[in-house]
Amino acid sequence: MGIYAVGEVIRRTRESLGMTQEELCEGICDVVTLSRIENGRNTPSRANFELLMERMKEREKVSAVYSERRYSGSFAERGTGTFTACP
């Protein structure tokens, strides 16, 4: 079981899809903001996190992050700005 920062989840998902930061954040936030989120210097609001994950077609991660339950094969909230990968 690993613990991942919010920004790391966003960055890894974005990179796995071959998206640029510009493509992902267009109309949601600026590139500088996304870069800070991915580097762990900022934490996105829930609304922006939802929009970013929806753009990457990863809506199920949003549900898992904002739930107190663990979801098999997804992410569970573990304190501010981190997630635990569940088996």
Side-chain angles (χ1 to χ4, degrees):
M1 195 178 320
I3 296 177
Y4 302 94
V6 173
E8 187 175 355
V9 171
I10 293 169
R11 181 183 52 80
R12 285 179 180 224
T13 305
R14 176 183 62 75
E15 289 176 347
S16 75
L17 295 170
M19 293 181 80
T20 65
Q21 288 181 329
E22 291 81 4
E23 291 169 330
L24 176 57
C25 71
E26 184 178 351
I28 298 171
C29 61
D30 24 79
V31 177
V32 172
T33 301
L34 179 58
S35 178
R36 288 179 181 154
I37 290 167
E38 289 186 352
N39 288 305
R41 291 180 290 188
N42 284 10
T43 300
S45 66
R46 179 178 177 158
N48 279 353
F49 180 71
E50 288 178 358
L51 291 170
L52 293 168
M53 298 309 285
E54 284 175 10
R55 177 154 298 157
M56 295 186 288
K57 311 234 184 297
E58 293 288 348
R59 180 74 181 141
E60 71 281 354
K61 289 181 184 174
V62 174
S63 299
V65 168
Y66 287 100
S67 173
E68 292 183 11
R69 294 180 49 202
R70 290 182 164 202
Y71 288 80
S72 178
S74 193
F75 296 90
E77 185 172 21
R78 283 294 217 209
T80 306
T82 60
F83 308 99
T84 302
C86 299

